[in-house]
Amino acid sequence: MTNSSKRVADRLLSVAQVAERLGTSERFPRRLIEERRITFVRLGRKVRFPESALNDFIAAGLVHPITIHTWSAA
């Protein structure tokens, strides 16, 4: 499956669905659209998010924990 056919096969999510998945109000996904920080699709007056775009957005914000080494004095 190519990249373009994968994107076409993506499930499209509404603003409410994205907000629920992110645990935010609907204002946050709308702000992401306004600031062009996430890929979205316009369908007439409606806006939808490809599920892969949401997954990419979440992955881009992932912060990995740091490992702290404790040194013992011998």
Side-chain angles (χ1 to χ4, degrees):
M1 183 179 279
T2 65
N3 246 358
S4 61
S5 62
K6 177 183 155 201
R7 291 187 195 281
V8 171
D10 266 354
R11 187 171 144 222
L12 295 176
L13 305 173
S14 69
V15 171
Q17 290 171 316
V18 170
E20 182 179 336
R21 184 149 168 211
L22 294 175
T24 65
S25 70
E26 289 186 22
R27 178 66 189 129
F28 182 67
R30 292 185 192 284
R31 196 171 74 215
L32 294 176
I33 293 167
E34 182 182 328
E35 296 171 358
R36 301 291 199 255
R37 292 174 49 198
I38 192 168
T39 301
F40 62 94
V41 178
R42 283 201 187 277
L43 301 169
R45 293 178 58 189
K46 301 203 182 292
V47 176
R48 297 292 184 259
F49 299 85
E51 194 167 23
S52 64
L54 181 59
N55 293 336
D56 292 345
F57 177 78
I58 293 169
L62 185 64
V63 177
H64 297 282
I66 58 172
T67 305
I68 299 175
H69 297 283
T70 57
W71 301 98
S72 59

